Amino acid sequence: MIYEKIKELCQERRTTVSAVEKEAKLSNGTIRKWNKSSPTVDNLQAVARALNVRVEELIS
């Protein structure tokens, strides 16, 4: 669910999940793993900053 929202936001912003991972200083494939597990609060905040959105937007 969170992964799909991030993917959607990436498409809107014409960027890739990999680019967001790099900007958020996450290892490659981290966001994709969120399909089956929950992210840490710190990682979620880093992705929200990279996408310039609030954390609430990622989890809604």
Side-chain angles (χ1 to χ4, degrees), residues 26-39:
L26 300 175
S27 56
N28 195 21
T30 298
I31 293 174
R32 186 164 286 119
K33 291 177 186 174
W34 296 348
N35 268 335
K36 298 181 184 206
S37 64
S38 298

Side-chain angles (χ1 to χ4, degrees), residues 2-19:
I2 293 172
Y3 172 69
E4 292 301 322
K5 182 64 175 181
I6 293 169
K7 220 167 91 170
E8 178 184 310
L9 289 168
C10 287
Q11 289 174 346
E12 289 174 10
R13 287 163 173 74
R14 300 193 194 297
T15 190
T16 64
V17 172
S18 293

Side-chain angles (χ1 to χ4, degrees), residues 20-58:
V20 171
E21 286 172 333
K22 286 180 186 176
E23 189 171 335
K25 296 180 177 27
L26 300 175
S27 56
N28 195 21
T30 298
I31 293 174
R32 186 164 286 119
K33 291 177 186 174
W34 296 348
N35 268 335
K36 298 181 184 206
S37 64
S38 298
T40 65
V41 172
D42 290 339
N43 286 351
L44 202 54
Q45 288 173 333
V47 169
R49 279 192 300 273
L51 289 169
N52 198 30
V53 297
R54 297 180 329 180
V55 170
E56 292 82 8
E57 190 171 343
L58 296 178

